[in-house]
């Protein structure tokens, strides 16, 4: 079916992405609280406070994972660090040398929230915001638990079939590690090993990932992560408050997005990985369009319900921030379509006919399209 593709894995990670800043696990249950807190003004106070980058907990370590962008950064660092290369040549006692990448890995790290009041307020807000969203949209509850993460968990042991766990954390980082070997042409047995590490606090305030695989038999499959991470810190506090609503909608609508991706691939049979990724990226943007449209309708209601204010200006500013990101390229069209159709009708349409929703966000006249 796909003559130039022997096998491929593409991650479909969709979530709130606003700002960037660079630079056997033990298993423990996350803690949760059933305390209901009605006043969330203190939560806004905490979000506006210090954003911590330590201590870090390791949640996942993916050996052999290669990141092309970060690999280029590492190579640029090596090529520009003349003193390091000279020291390596000196240890090899050679004027010229060869090098090779011998291994790479990616680690998922989080900063837990250990401040009791902050953790309690954020967890209480998330629970109530999710309850409101599910009641308002009539969507099924996808969660096994919503819990504050305070110790490492073995993510690989979790089962998506039992439901999704929303782990609440303070900060999220990716760490990419590459190992290089240096040697001479004359003596390949004597090698010098160095490791380079890039740690990036990602700005993924919330994300939910499913993975598309195309096997050698051309069979298309999707595997969904059994967890989502929600971060309680951001430059714009509104983005933290949006997380539980937005990610709940992504999780609920993801099966329809996967169906649309499968249909598109089976119809057009792309011949290379770039074409597959283009299909995935297009449908990521479509899913963001309906989720963004629903968020624009639901958030003022939730803010009024939980914060006694619609916070319309702050919400508009948050939506405006997304214009700079390609994944939100259909956001304004999505807001228009959801506004015209209504919340439940828009959801019903996307779940039953995602391709029709896609056509609507490209339509100049919604009424004519209907």
């Amino acid at each position: 079916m796909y003559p130039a593709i022997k096998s491929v894995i593409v991650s479909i990670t969709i979530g709130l992405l606003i700002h960037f800043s660079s630079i056997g696990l033990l298993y423990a249950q996350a803690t949760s609280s059933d305390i209901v807190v009605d006043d969330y003004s203190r939560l806004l106070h905490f979000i506006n406070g210090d954003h911590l980058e330590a201590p870090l907990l390791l949640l996942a370590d993916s050996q052999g994972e290669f990141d092309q962008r970060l690999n280029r950064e590492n190579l640029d660092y090596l090529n520009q660090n003349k003193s390091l290369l000279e020291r390596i040549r000196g240890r090899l006692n050679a004027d010229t040398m060869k090098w090779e990448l011998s291994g790479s890995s990616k680690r998922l790290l989080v900063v837990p929230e250990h401040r009791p009041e902050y953790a309690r307020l954020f967890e209480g807000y998330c629970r109530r915001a999710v309850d409101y969203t599910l009641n308002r949209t009539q969507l099924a509850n996808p969660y096994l638990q919503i819990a504050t993460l305070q110790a490492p968990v073995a993510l690989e042991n979790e089962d998506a079939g039992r439901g999704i766990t929303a782990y609440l954390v303070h900060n999220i980082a990716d760490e990419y590690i590459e190992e290089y070997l240096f040697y001479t042409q004359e003596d390949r047995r004597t090698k010098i090993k160095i490791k380079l590490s890039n740690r990036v606090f990602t700005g993924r305030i919330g994300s939910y990932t499913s993975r598309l695989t195309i096997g050698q038999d051309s069979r298309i499959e999707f595997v969904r992560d059994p967890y989502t991470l929600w971060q309680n810190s951001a430059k714009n506090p509104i983005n933290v408050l949006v997380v539980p609503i937005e990610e709940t909608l992504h999780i609920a609508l993801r099966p329809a997005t996967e169906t649309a991706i499968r249909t598109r691939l089976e119809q057009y049979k792309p011949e290379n990985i770039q074409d597959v990724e283009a299909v995935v990226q297009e449908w990521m943007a479509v899913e963001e369009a309906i989720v963004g449209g629903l968020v624009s309708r639901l958030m003022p209601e939730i803010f009024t319900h939980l914060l006694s204010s619609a916070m319309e200006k702050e919400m508009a500013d948050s939506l405006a921030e997304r214009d700079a990101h390609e994944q939100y390229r259909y956001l304004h069209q999505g807001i228009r379509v959801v506004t015209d159709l209504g919340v439940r009708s828009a959801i019903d349409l996307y779940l039953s006919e995602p391709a029709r929703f896609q056509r609507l966000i490209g339509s100049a006249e919604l009424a004519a399209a209907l």
Side-chain angles (χ1 to χ4, degrees), residues 50-235:
D50 294 335
H51 299 164
L52 308 180
E53 296 185 355
L56 287 165
L57 294 180
L58 173 64
L59 290 191
D61 191 348
S62 303
Q63 296 294 326
E65 188 164 334
F66 180 77
D67 188 306
Q68 192 170 37
R69 180 183 63 83
L70 293 175
N71 171 256
R72 287 197 301 268
E73 289 185 8
N74 284 342
L75 292 177
D76 288 343
Y77 173 81
L78 286 173
N79 286 321
Q80 295 169 15
N81 198 326
K82 303 301 182 184
S83 61
L84 172 61
L85 295 177
E86 286 301 321
R87 290 199 302 273
I88 295 173
R89 286 191 189 95
R91 291 184 59 184
L92 290 172
N93 193 26
D95 294 329
T96 61
M97 61 183 177
K98 294 182 175 293
W99 59 358
E100 64 183 41
L101 176 65
S102 63
S104 60
S105 65
K106 214 167 192 178
R107 306 201 308 164
L108 173 62
L109 307 167
V110 299
V111 179
E113 183 51 72
H114 288 313
R115 290 163 287 189
E117 185 181 3
Y118 196 172
R120 188 186 73 239
L121 285 168
F122 185 51
E123 186 173 319
Y125 170 82
C126 289
R127 287 170 177 269
R128 295 190 66 187
V130 167
D131 285 346
Y132 186 95
T133 300
L134 296 177
N135 288 332
R136 178 74 166 78
T137 60
Q138 302 169 45
L139 290 166
N141 185 356
Y143 297 110
L144 178 64
Q145 61 175 333
I146 298 173
T148 301
L149 183 69
Q150 294 187 338
V153 293
L155 297 178
E156 68 274 13
N157 291 343
E158 302 202 356
D159 179 8
R162 299 175 58 222
I164 305 298
T165 295
Y167 289 119
L168 314 186
V169 300
H170 177 71
N171 214 339
I172 303 170
D174 285 337
E175 186 173 62
Y176 181 65
I177 301 170
E178 287 189 332
E179 183 176 278
Y180 289 88
L181 295 178
F182 293 81
Y183 54 88
T184 65
Q185 183 66 43
E186 295 77 17
D187 183 7
R188 296 178 64 92
R189 293 175 300 177
T190 302
K191 297 179 180 179
I192 293 176
K193 180 191 301 182
I194 68 167
K195 287 186 178 181
L196 297 180
S197 173
N198 279 345
R199 181 178 297 166
V200 180
F201 284 88
T202 63
R204 289 195 312 270
I205 304 171
S207 66
Y208 175 65
T209 300
S210 56
R211 292 173 177 83
L212 159 68
T213 66
I214 302 177
Q216 293 187 359
D217 59 356
S218 297
R219 179 177 298 177
I220 299 172
E221 294 183 352
F222 292 91
V223 178
R224 300 167 193 160
D225 277 353
Y227 67 92
T228 175
L229 296 176
W230 299 349
Q231 179 175 302
N232 71 7
S233 63
K235 291 180 180 178

Side-chain angles (χ1 to χ4, degrees), residues 125-368:
Y125 170 82
C126 289
R127 287 170 177 269
R128 295 190 66 187
V130 167
D131 285 346
Y132 186 95
T133 300
L134 296 177
N135 288 332
R136 178 74 166 78
T137 60
Q138 302 169 45
L139 290 166
N141 185 356
Y143 297 110
L144 178 64
Q145 61 175 333
I146 298 173
T148 301
L149 183 69
Q150 294 187 338
V153 293
L155 297 178
E156 68 274 13
N157 291 343
E158 302 202 356
D159 179 8
R162 299 175 58 222
I164 305 298
T165 295
Y167 289 119
L168 314 186
V169 300
H170 177 71
N171 214 339
I172 303 170
D174 285 337
E175 186 173 62
Y176 181 65
I177 301 170
E178 287 189 332
E179 183 176 278
Y180 289 88
L181 295 178
F182 293 81
Y183 54 88
T184 65
Q185 183 66 43
E186 295 77 17
D187 183 7
R188 296 178 64 92
R189 293 175 300 177
T190 302
K191 297 179 180 179
I192 293 176
K193 180 191 301 182
I194 68 167
K195 287 186 178 181
L196 297 180
S197 173
N198 279 345
R199 181 178 297 166
V200 180
F201 284 88
T202 63
R204 289 195 312 270
I205 304 171
S207 66
Y208 175 65
T209 300
S210 56
R211 292 173 177 83
L212 159 68
T213 66
I214 302 177
Q216 293 187 359
D217 59 356
S218 297
R219 179 177 298 177
I220 299 172
E221 294 183 352
F222 292 91
V223 178
R224 300 167 193 160
D225 277 353
Y227 67 92
T228 175
L229 296 176
W230 299 349
Q231 179 175 302
N232 71 7
S233 63
K235 291 180 180 178
N236 183 346
I238 297 302
N239 295 329
V240 171
L241 301 179
V242 168
V243 163
I245 296 86
E246 184 168 34
E247 297 313 306
T248 297
L249 294 169
H250 278 305
I251 292 168
L253 299 176
R254 181 60 51 81
T257 304
E258 293 172 351
T259 297
I261 292 172
R262 182 192 302 275
T263 300
R264 179 78 174 180
L265 293 175
E266 290 176 344
Q267 286 176 343
Y268 294 96
K269 302 176 179 61
E271 295 188 352
N272 55 61
I273 181 63
Q274 291 76 21
D275 290 344
V276 173
E277 289 178 339
V279 172
V280 171
Q281 293 297 327
E282 171 67 12
W283 276 101
M284 286 175 66
V286 175
E287 186 178 300
E288 288 289 9
I290 183 170
V291 169
L294 294 169
V295 165
S296 72
R297 295 296 299 270
L298 296 175
M299 287 310 303
E301 300 174 13
I302 291 172
F303 287 155
T304 300
H305 181 63
L306 296 181
L307 296 169
S308 301
S309 170
M311 302 183 74
E312 293 176 355
K313 180 183 182 304
E314 293 85 351
M315 190 63 209
D317 291 343
S318 176
L319 291 172
E321 288 180 34
R322 308 182 187 202
D323 288 339
H325 299 283
E326 182 67 11
Q327 73 191 66
Y328 299 113
R329 58 188 176 272
Y330 303 134
L331 175 60
H332 295 288
Q333 296 96 311
I335 292 173
R336 172 179 58 83
V337 171
V338 172
T339 299
D340 288 346
L341 291 179
V343 168
R344 187 61 230 183
S345 293
I347 291 172
D348 288 342
L349 176 63
Y350 192 82
L351 290 176
S352 62
E353 298 181 81
R356 189 175 180 209
F357 184 91
Q358 182 193 36
R359 291 194 296 272
L360 289 183
I361 63 175
S363 170
E365 295 293 337
L366 177 61

